[in-house]
Amino acid sequence: ELVARARAPGGPTLLVARNIEHAGALLERLRSAAKKGEAGSFGDFDAAAARSATGGGALKVCVIPLSKHRGYNFGKHYRRMVLPPLPSSVATRVQLHGRLTRMDQEFKEVTYTTVVPKRTILELLHDRHNLDDAVQASIEKLGQRFGHLAEAMLQTDGKTDLQGHG
């Protein structure tokens, strides 16, 4: 299902794998299902980085392992991310999604698709991540809305500190 979603119209696509071995298996499946002349349109992290560095833009599908969730800019060439439910922290998922939501993004809109098998432990993991992500977003919104109050409480008027000492 991940390969089918990654190959669907609407790309170019970053396809996220659980690890390097999974990425290799997905890339092999993409290449074996490729139409004549299309196999070079699929590649790994290094191929995508090299293509971007030479001004070549995006591969049709770039397969990256979860471990490559930060520290590169070629995601600006991709319109879509397809991923399985991944065991990761909120921070890792934010970094991973940030590969597409860059200031220099070439596309007006980007999409994220998580392929989740029904009635599995992966579905439970995905549901839990969605809840964690929603809580994190709420905390960030509260910080944006009321952060000035926290800053004011931390500042002293020059006469007393937070414990009331002069």
Side-chain angles (χ1 to χ4, degrees), residues 25 55 80 95 99 106 110 112 125 135-136 148 156:
R80 180 172 61 167
Q95 283 287 326
R99 298 304 91 208
E106 294 176 1
V110 296
Y112 301 90
L125 175 67
V135 168
Q136 179 67 26
H148 66 284
T156 63

Side-chain angles (χ1 to χ4, degrees), residues 2 5-6 10-17 62 64 66 68-69 72 75 78-84 86 92-101 110-115:
L2 286 170
R5 290 287 180 104
T13 303
L14 280 177
L15 174 57
V16 182
C62 172
I64 60 169
L66 176 61
K68 298 285 186 182
H69 67 276
Y72 58 91
Y78 293 85
R79 173 180 286 170
R80 180 172 61 167
M81 183 177 288
V82 175
L83 57 159
L86 298 165
T92 297
R93 289 190 301 280
V94 167
Q95 283 287 326
L96 188 59
H97 284 204
R99 298 304 91 208
L100 295 189
T101 54
V110 296
T111 60
Y112 301 90
T113 302
T114 304
V115 179

Side-chain angles (χ1 to χ4, degrees), residues 10-73:
T13 303
L14 280 177
L15 174 57
V16 182
R18 291 184 300 273
N19 52 43
I20 291 176
E21 293 78 20
H22 186 221
L26 290 171
L27 188 54
E28 181 58 36
R29 287 179 54 202
L30 280 164
R31 288 180 173 152
S32 67
K35 297 174 182 146
K36 186 176 182 179
E38 189 182 46
S41 298
F42 308 111
D44 61 6
F45 179 89
D46 293 331
R51 190 172 198 161
S52 178
T54 60
L59 296 163
K60 181 175 182 174
V61 178
C62 172
V63 183
I64 60 169
L66 176 61
S67 61
K68 298 285 186 182
H69 67 276
R70 60 186 174 161
Y72 58 91
N73 296 323

